[in-house]
Every structure is written in structure tokens, then in C-alpha cells.
């Protein structure tokens, strides 16, 4: 146990002064920036349904509230409540409520993500200044501003995925790490498990990979089973998941609707390439195929300011032409 505690300190002593400085700076900046952004979110966002671009802020809040057994969307995020409700309960003993705990959690995930990006760039042989700038670009990106400002599963799951990418870049062969990769990806969001599967098969031979995956699934199933009894989480499974997620699959039902849906697909394509770097201007409207009374904050494919268009063009040049 003593060696396990000493290992991080020994690792820090082996790093250069510049890298230690960068790690401290990036951690503090990303945590503070995320914490500051989340403090600007109106409280109504935690009370209304899907106010922030159809995100599940109020649902996630219930999943980390240690004073209630209410949990939601466990068919999509099966272990989220099991992982964070107990931690939220401990923070509540210090008079830290669920919203403040959520802000701290998102800030910590921002710091972990930023540090993981910096260390991944170092493992890939990127120069010191370039990896510092690369991590800085992430903090200033649309993705960070958009997601690391709200209590959602995406930034938390993103932190775990960033750690997995770092593990791949340094060729980590720890059995325990890759066993835990399953509950910390599959458990946060089902689709996140893909990077865990790819990482295991990239790091080990086929037989060993299947063994580690099986142990990870067994661990996840055990935690999920215990959570359904202790936390009383919902036990709906994959069939229900497929039925509920079909509402997000939009497609034309006849030829006359083709031009309308072509515009939707083009806007989504632009958003796919540009949203990670440039935040589009939001507007108050309704979701696709929802009633007129259902209002939320959304953004269109081409809703950018003048400076936003300049940033978007620069980003696309960087993506397709390189630096």
C-alpha cells in the first residue's frame, strides 16, 4: 500500500520541471474555467427538461443526489448513479449540495481530460511548447465551453476516455486497469465501451483480451446488480433502450420531405466538424418532432457571428490541411 501511495510522487520527481509546471498550470486552469462556466448556468436549467441542447442536466442531477434514491436513464448510463451517488453522499456530510458537487465533479473531469491530452501529446513525441498549446486549445475549444460547463454524463465519460487514450499512447499493460476500463466506460454511457474494447484488443492478444473483457463485464454486472437493490435503480434493459433512442433517428418519410431533411443533414454535418472548436449561436426553439410547447435552447448549422465564421474557417483549415 505504501508503494502504491509513493508511486505518483516518484513519477512526478522523474518529470522535467517544464512538464510539472505545465501539468499544474493546465490542471488549475481547466478546473477553474469549468467551475466558473458551470457557475454561470441558471438554476432553471437544473429544473426544466432538456433546456440545454436536449441534455439531461436535471436527470444527471438526480443521479448524483445522495439524499434521494431517484435515478433516471439507467438503461443508457447503467453505473453512473452507482459510481457517484455514494461519493455525493459523502460530500453532503460536508454540507456540499448536489449542484455544487456536480460543479466540482465536472471541474475535476475537465482537469483530468486536459492533463490526459497533454500527456498523450508528450507520449506521441510532440514538442513541449506544442503539447502545451495543444492542451490549451482544448480548454479554449467549443467542446470544452459547451460540455464542461454543465452537469452531464458526456464530460465525465470524456475524462475516462481521455485516460484510456493516454493508456494506449504509453502502451500500458496493467490487467487491473483494463478490467476497470469496462465499468468506467460501459457504466457511464453504453457506447463509450467501444474505446475500451478497442484498447484491450490493441494492448493484448485475443485470448487475454476476451478474458479481461469478461472480467470487466462480470464486475459491471455485479455493481449494477447491487445498485438495483441498494439504490433501487431502474432495471430496464437493451430492448427498452433501443425503443427509447429511436426518437432521435430522424429521416424523410416521403420524397417531398427530402429537401427539408437534406438541409438538416447538412447542418448536422457542419456541426459535427465545427462544434468541437467553434460554438454556434443558440436560440430558443423546439426539438424535432416535439410539440410547439416544448421549448429549449438549440443551435442551427450556420448560426455563427462574424468572428465565429473566421474561427470556423481556421479550424477547418487546421483539420484538413494540418498545422
Amino acid at each position: 500500500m505504501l508503494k502504491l501511495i509513493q508511486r505518483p510522487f516518484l513519477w512526478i520527481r522523474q518529470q522535467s520541471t517544464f512538464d510539472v509546471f505545465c501539468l499544474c498550470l493546465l490542471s488549475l486552469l481547466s478546473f477553474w474555467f469549468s467551475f466558473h462556466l458551470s457557475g454561470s448556468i441558471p438554476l432553471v436549467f437544473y429544473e426544466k427538461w432538456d433546456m440545454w441542447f436536449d441534455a439531461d442536466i436535471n436527470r444527471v442531477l438526480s443521479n448524483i443526489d445522495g439524499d434521494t434514491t431517484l435515478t433516471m436513464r439507467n438503461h443508457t448510463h447503467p453505473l453512473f448513479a452507482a459510481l457517484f451517488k455514494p461519493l455525493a453522499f459523502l460530500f453532503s456530510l460536508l454540507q456540499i449540495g448536489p449542484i455544487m458537487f456536480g460543479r466540482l465533479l465536472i471541474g475535476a473531469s475537465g482537469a483530468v481530460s486536459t492533463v490526459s491530452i497533454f500527456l498523450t501529446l508528450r507520449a506521441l513525441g510532440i514538442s513541449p511548447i506544442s503539447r502545451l498549446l495543444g492542451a490549451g486549445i482544448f480548454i479554449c475549444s467549443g467542446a470544452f465551453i459547451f460540455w464542461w460547463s454543465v452537469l452531464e454524463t458526456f464530460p465525465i465519460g470524456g475524462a475516462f476516455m481521455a485516460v484510456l487514450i493516454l493508456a494506449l499512447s504509453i502502451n500500458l499493460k496493467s490487467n487491473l486497469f483494463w478490467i476497470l476500463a469496462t465499468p468506467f466506460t460501459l457504466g457511464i454511457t453504453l457506447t463509450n465501451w467501444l474505446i475500451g474494447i478497442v484498447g484491450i484488443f490493441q494492448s493484448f492478444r485475443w485470448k487475454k483480451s476476451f478474458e479481461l473483457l469478461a472480467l470487466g463485464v462480470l464486475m459491471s454486472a455485479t455493481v449494477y446488480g447491487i445498485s438495483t437493490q441498494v439504490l433501487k435503480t431502474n432495471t430496464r434493459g437493451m430492448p427498452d433502450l433501443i425503443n427509447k433512442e429511436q426518437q432521435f433517428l430522424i429521416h424523410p418519410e416521403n420524397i417531398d420531405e427530402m429537401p427539408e431533411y437534406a438541409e438538416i443533414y447538412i447542418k448536422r454535418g457542419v456541426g459535427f466538424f465545427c462544434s468541437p472548436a467553434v460554438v454556434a449561436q443558440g436560440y430558443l426553439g423546439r426539438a424535432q418532432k416535439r410539440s410547439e410547447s416544448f421549448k429549449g435552447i438549440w443551435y442551427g448549422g450556420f448560426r455563427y457571428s462574424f468572428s465565429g465564421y473566421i474561427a470556423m474557417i481556421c479550424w477547418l483549415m487546421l483539420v484538413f490541411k494540418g498545422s
Side-chain angles (χ1 to χ4, degrees):
M1 177 63 70
L2 183 60
K3 289 184 178 180
L4 188 62
I5 297 175
Q6 290 178 338
R7 189 173 299 173
F9 297 99
L10 293 175
W11 180 84
I12 292 175
R13 290 180 60 184
Q14 295 171 355
Q15 309 309 307
S16 67
T17 303
F18 179 79
D19 282 345
V20 173
F21 170 77
C22 289
L23 290 172
C24 295
L25 177 64
L26 292 170
S27 298
L28 292 174
L29 281 177
S30 53
F31 179 87
W32 177 85
F33 195 23
S34 175
F35 190 78
H36 174 73
L37 287 172
S38 62
S40 303
I41 298 297
L43 291 179
V44 68
F45 280 32
Y46 295 95
E47 302 168 356
K48 300 293 184 179
W49 294 95
D50 303 323
M51 280 290 291
W52 182 259
F53 301 92
D54 209 20
D56 306 321
I57 298 176
N58 57 339
R59 300 183 183 98
V60 177
L61 181 64
S62 68
N63 286 346
I64 64 167
D65 189 348
D67 295 330
T68 177
T69 58
L70 175 66
T71 57
M72 307 182 72
R73 286 185 67 86
N74 300 292
H75 61 287
T76 310
H77 315 290
L79 300 182
F80 188 86
L83 293 173
F84 295 108
K85 255 189 188 296
L87 188 60
F89 174 75
L90 294 178
F91 273 78
S92 69
L93 299 178
L94 302 175
Q95 303 302 311
I96 296 177
I99 293 180
M100 179 57 69
F101 171 72
R103 292 178 61 192
L104 293 172
L105 185 61
I106 298 301
S109 74
V112 170
S113 301
T114 306
V115 167
S116 297
I117 289 173
F118 177 83
L119 294 176
T120 299
L121 293 175
R122 190 185 72 161
L124 295 176
I126 306 300
S127 65
I129 295 297
S130 295
R131 58 179 178 254
L132 175 61
L133 292 176
I137 288 174
F138 170 68
I139 299 176
C140 299
S141 68
F144 192 95
I145 297 170
F146 188 95
W147 283 117
W148 272 266
S149 60
V150 294
L151 178 58
E152 245 289 359
T153 55
F154 180 88
I156 299 171
F160 288 120
M161 295 177 72
V163 172
L164 289 185
I165 294 174
L166 171 60
L168 282 173
S169 68
I170 63 176
N171 198 26
L172 183 64
K173 299 291 186 180
S174 170
N175 291 345
L176 178 60
F177 177 88
W178 288 109
I179 291 173
L180 292 174
T182 292
F184 282 104
T185 53
L186 173 69
I188 302 299
T189 302
L190 292 173
T191 50
N192 288 4
W193 192 29
L194 177 61
I195 190 172
I197 295 174
V198 171
I200 290 176
F201 279 97
Q202 179 69 25
S203 303
F204 301 95
R205 295 184 180 274
W206 281 67
K207 181 180 179 181
K208 183 67 171 294
S209 297
F210 281 116
E211 292 175 353
L212 296 178
L213 281 175
L215 290 172
V217 171
L218 179 62
M219 178 181 292
S220 302
T222 301
V223 175
Y224 184 73
I226 294 174
S227 69
T228 60
Q229 300 302 313
V230 178
L231 300 177
K232 306 299 181 184
T233 58
N234 198 322
T235 57
R236 291 180 296 181
M238 286 299 295
D240 183 72
L241 166 66
I242 294 173
N243 292 332
K244 287 189 69 67
E245 298 304 314
Q246 281 181 344
Q247 63 178 302
F248 300 108
L249 301 176
I250 62 171
H251 56 83
E253 298 180 358
N254 53 62
I255 296 179
D256 295 334
E257 293 183 347
M258 288 291 290
E260 176 187 353
Y261 279 86
E263 180 183 358
I264 293 174
Y265 295 148
I266 291 173
K267 288 182 176 180
R268 287 192 172 188
V270 172
F272 176 80
F273 281 108
C274 299
S275 293
V278 187
V279 180
Q281 294 178 342
Y283 67 95
L284 188 65
R286 69 182 185 91
Q288 294 289 336
K289 305 233 178 186
R290 301 285 184 93
S291 65
E292 289 291 344
S293 61
F294 184 90
K295 295 291 185 179
I297 296 177
W298 308 89
Y299 68 92
F302 303 102
R303 290 177 177 267
Y304 296 97
S305 62
F306 177 74
S307 59
Y309 273 108
I310 295 176
M312 183 177 69
I313 293 172
C314 293
W315 167 250
L316 292 176
M317 291 175 61
L318 179 63
V319 170
F320 292 105
K321 296 293 290 184
S323 57

